[in-house]
Amino acid sequence: MTLNSKTNTSGYTFIELMIVIMIIGILAAIAIPNFLAYREKGKISRASLELKSIEVAIKALATDTGLWPHKRTSEDASGNEVWDLNASSAGLVATDGGFPGWNGPYIATVPLDPWGNNYFFDNDYYINGQQFFAIGSFGPNGIGPNNYDTDNIIIILTSS
């Protein structure tokens, strides 16, 4: 009687599997940082587009009432920033009665920025020593209020 020894030749060896896993790991190490960078650029673009919509709403409010969200005219740069543009005191979504000639809502709702923070209105935003009315987002790091840095996304409405 002879023993018939068969070897199993189907399947992959451990070395082949390890090579495939290493190749997948290298590709992931290259792709993931690029994906995250594009994702962050997409958030910045989204914030810029949302700020454009908010700008249109604020300008419509100013046209109808003669007032900015802080309830002052463009000649009056005193006053406080508005950190919650959904508040009725801002006049964009609803009014607290402080905007004569209000014909809103000027925007259905002011969304949070892509990083989960409120957009803001600032009547004394300074660039190179010149004061502006501006709206913005505190950007990816979310540092604010009154702590402006280089990752902020800002739209200038007018100079005061």
Side-chain angles (χ1 to χ4, degrees):
M1 174 182 218
T2 59
L3 292 173
N4 187 4
S5 64
K6 285 186 175 180
T7 57
N8 189 359
T9 58
S10 63
Y12 298 103
T13 67
F14 180 72
I15 299 293
E16 290 171 327
L17 289 174
M18 290 307 295
I19 290 171
V20 169
I21 290 171
M22 282 185 357
I23 290 171
I24 291 171
I26 290 169
L27 291 174
I30 293 169
I32 289 173
N34 289 334
F35 170 74
L36 295 176
Y38 284 119
R39 186 173 158 201
E40 197 62 31
K41 286 179 185 178
K43 286 182 178 184
I44 291 169
S45 295
R46 180 176 139 205
S48 296
L49 287 172
E50 288 174 345
L51 282 169
K52 290 286 186 189
S53 296
I54 296 166
E55 175 186 22
V56 169
I58 288 174
K59 287 183 175 180
L61 172 72
T63 298
D64 286 353
T65 67
L67 302 174
W68 294 95
H70 67 329
K71 295 182 186 167
R72 290 179 175 78
T73 65
S74 61
E75 290 80 31
D76 184 359
S78 66
N80 297 319
E81 295 84 359
V82 179
W83 304 118
D84 182 5
L85 293 172
N86 279 308
S88 60
S89 59
L92 297 177
V93 177
T95 184
D96 62 1
F99 294 93
W102 190 83
N103 195 25
Y106 298 98
I107 191 168
T109 186
V110 178
L112 295 176
D113 73 10
W115 302 277
N117 302 308
N118 285 330
Y119 290 105
F120 63 88
F121 171 81
D122 189 349
N123 62 302
D124 58 356
Y125 189 83
Y126 285 90
I127 301 174
N128 297 327
Q130 187 175 359
Q131 185 175 358
F132 295 92
F133 285 71
I135 54 174
S137 161
F138 291 116
N141 69 11
I143 295 176
N146 288 323
N147 292 308
Y148 304 113
D149 55 23
T150 58
D151 80 334
N152 292 353
I153 302 156
I154 303 295
I155 292 183
I156 301 300
L157 300 174
T158 184
S159 61
S160 56

